[in-house]
Amino acid sequence: NIQNLLGIGMKMEVRNMAPAIALKDGWGVKSAVNPNIAGPWFFPQDGFGEVIGTMSDGVPALVSWEKNGARHYFSTLMYLPPPVLRAIAARAGVHIYNTVCGDPMHIGNDVVFLHAKTGGEKSVILPPGTRMRSIAGPLKGTFVSGQTWNAESGQTYGFLVEKK
């Protein structure tokens, strides 16, 4: 039934494996591998517009297509690396709040929370015309886009995003 749901042809392969794919240039990384062995696996066969990633035998494993004016993506892999997700988001016009992967960020309509996995210099890229005011954690004050602060490992920093 996955074919009816997505609108693209699929092939199911009933075997346990950890698929590895090679990605086209411009998608953040050159390759990706599923982090665990599992099965069955679903591979797109037809009805999509672009092949972004393939298995070593050339079988498509990450594809995109347009349907009803929206771009859709399907990945055979269960988990795509953060740089690939960022590339997808950027192509969709999503604002990227931090270009460096690593620290979990929780973004709401008007809040940004960053949990520092590691200590050191941190910053947030804000939408144009906004600033952020500290509302949780040890920081005080207002910060502009790209302004850095020294974070303590394990600490969460919360901000209210406001118009300038």
Side-chain angles (χ1 to χ4, degrees):
N1 293 330
I2 194 75
Q3 193 165 332
N4 292 337
L5 175 69
L6 298 178
I8 61 173
M10 301 296 284
K11 176 185 176 193
M12 182 174 73
E13 219 173 285
V14 182
R15 67 178 168 123
N16 289 333
M17 62 179 184
I21 64 173
L23 287 100
K24 290 171 53 176
D25 288 339
W27 288 91
V29 295
K30 294 188 180 292
S31 62
V33 63
N34 203 73
N36 57 345
I37 296 172
W41 294 96
F42 296 90
F43 293 93
Q45 297 293 297
D46 55 50
F48 49 83
E50 179 183 14
V51 176
I52 300 164
T54 58
M55 302 284 288
S56 60
D57 58 4
V59 171
L62 176 57
V63 298
S64 71
W65 69 98
E66 302 265 341
K67 182 178 179 182
N68 299 327
R71 178 166 298 274
H72 302 271
Y73 294 88
F74 176 85
S75 171
T76 296
L77 274 63
M78 294 176 194
Y79 305 101
L80 290 172
V84 177
L85 295 175
R86 287 174 182 274
I88 290 170
R91 283 171 170 77
V94 173
H95 180 79
I96 306 295
Y97 284 81
N98 190 312
T99 58
V100 179
C101 298
D103 295 311
M105 294 183 74
H106 304 279
I107 317 274
N109 289 337
D110 58 354
V111 294
V112 171
F113 285 83
L114 181 144
H115 179 75
K117 282 176 46 178
T118 59
E121 195 171 85
K122 308 293 179 183
S123 68
V124 174
I125 300 166
L126 296 168
T130 63
R131 62 181 177 211
M132 59 186 193
R133 180 172 42 87
S134 182
I135 59 171
L139 291 179
K140 302 291 181 222
T142 303
F143 295 78
V144 296
S145 185
Q147 184 176 349
T148 61
W149 73 89
N150 193 26
E152 181 181 332
S153 177
Q155 180 67 52
T156 298
Y157 300 84
F159 305 93
L160 179 65
V161 177
E162 307 170 317
K163 298 248 185 246
K164 284 185 183 179

